[in-house]
Amino acid sequence: MLLATGSLAPASRGFLSPTGVEIVFVLVGLAVLGSALISVTTRQLVHAALWLVVALGGLAVEFLLLTAEFVAWVQVLIYLGSVVVLVLFGLMLTKAPIGRSPDADSGNRWVALGVALAAAGTLVTVVVDAFRTSWIDLGAGGGSAQATGTALFRTWVLPFEALSVLLLAALVGAIVLSRSGKSDTSGPRPGRLRTSRPIGAPRPGSQRQPQKQES
């Protein structure tokens, strides 16, 4: 994200004098963090997917604030328009319940929380240590389509293709899981016997009444 926004220059400002853009950036970041926490803690799968929409939309706003318009629109088109739709189709194909899903909780919440805090602490430490004395120049135009495409298809082409294969495997797995529980319905239903009768023959149990001859 930092590489796609602009060049880095020595810091000439402090964190005690934020601008309006920086304040909005922090507020949107808090909204993204809250929606992400709700998405992973709720017991309703559909609500989790909808809160994921809020989190990904907030990230698109963050990219706009960093003057990376191309990355922001890619975020909207790919993640909001494709990944979330893929998740919703996966929920429908696997016949996930609409309401609360007690089975969705594996009982390892504290372990997952510990792993999440450790990962977040590691990422924050690495980013702060790497860009401690640097400042992002938002007016350099580093978020253009040319700069982003060069970085994506030269430096990050392997993770990009791996993510595409992963999404395809997830969709195929959802289709396999949805079809594995279906039974063969080609044969006759239990308790019902199929019989063939000639055309024009009366149905079983029905008798034709003899017609009265007029005198």
Side-chain angles (χ1 to χ4, degrees):
M1 182 178 68
L2 294 174
L3 294 176
T5 54
S7 60
L8 299 177
S12 59
R13 300 175 51 187
F15 291 99
L16 298 179
S17 59
T19 62
V21 176
E22 294 170 353
I23 295 175
V24 175
F25 184 87
V26 173
L27 294 178
V28 175
L30 293 177
V32 171
L33 179 61
S35 58
L37 290 176
I38 297 176
S39 179
V40 299
T41 55
T42 182
R43 294 188 177 182
Q44 299 189 18
L45 299 179
V46 179
H47 289 184
L50 296 179
W51 281 110
L52 182 61
V53 173
V54 177
L56 296 177
L59 289 179
V61 176
E62 299 281 54
F63 284 122
L64 284 177
L65 294 175
L66 292 173
T67 66
E69 293 85 2
F70 178 77
V71 182
W73 290 120
V74 169
Q75 174 82 13
V76 172
L77 292 176
I78 295 181
Y79 286 92
L80 290 180
S82 300
V83 175
V84 175
V85 173
L86 180 64
V87 171
L88 293 177
F89 268 100
L91 293 177
M92 290 186 293
L93 288 174
T94 55
K95 298 180 181 180
I98 301 298
R100 291 182 175 271
S101 303
D103 298 337
D105 189 2
S106 62
N108 297 324
R109 285 178 175 245
W110 295 108
V111 178
L113 179 61
V115 173
L117 291 178
T122 303
L123 291 175
V124 170
T125 303
V126 170
V127 171
V128 171
D129 184 68
F131 303 98
R132 186 188 304 274
T133 59
S134 300
W135 199 266
I136 301 176
D137 186 10
L138 298 180
S144 62
Q146 181 180 359
T148 305
T150 302
L152 180 62
F153 293 103
R154 287 185 180 178
T155 307
W156 305 102
V157 61
L158 183 59
F160 180 78
E161 296 297 335
L163 181 60
S164 303
V165 175
L166 179 62
L167 294 176
L168 179 61
L171 180 60
V172 173
I175 296 176
V176 171
L177 290 176
S178 64
R179 294 180 61 87
S180 60
K182 294 183 179 181
S183 59
D184 187 11
T185 58
S186 59
R189 297 179 180 179
R192 182 175 297 180
L193 183 63
R194 292 184 178 180
T195 57
S196 59
R197 58 186 179 87
I199 300 176
R203 296 180 179 179
S206 62
Q207 297 180 357
R208 293 183 179 181
Q209 297 293 334
Q211 296 180 358
K212 295 182 180 180
Q213 297 180 356
E214 295 181 358
S215 57

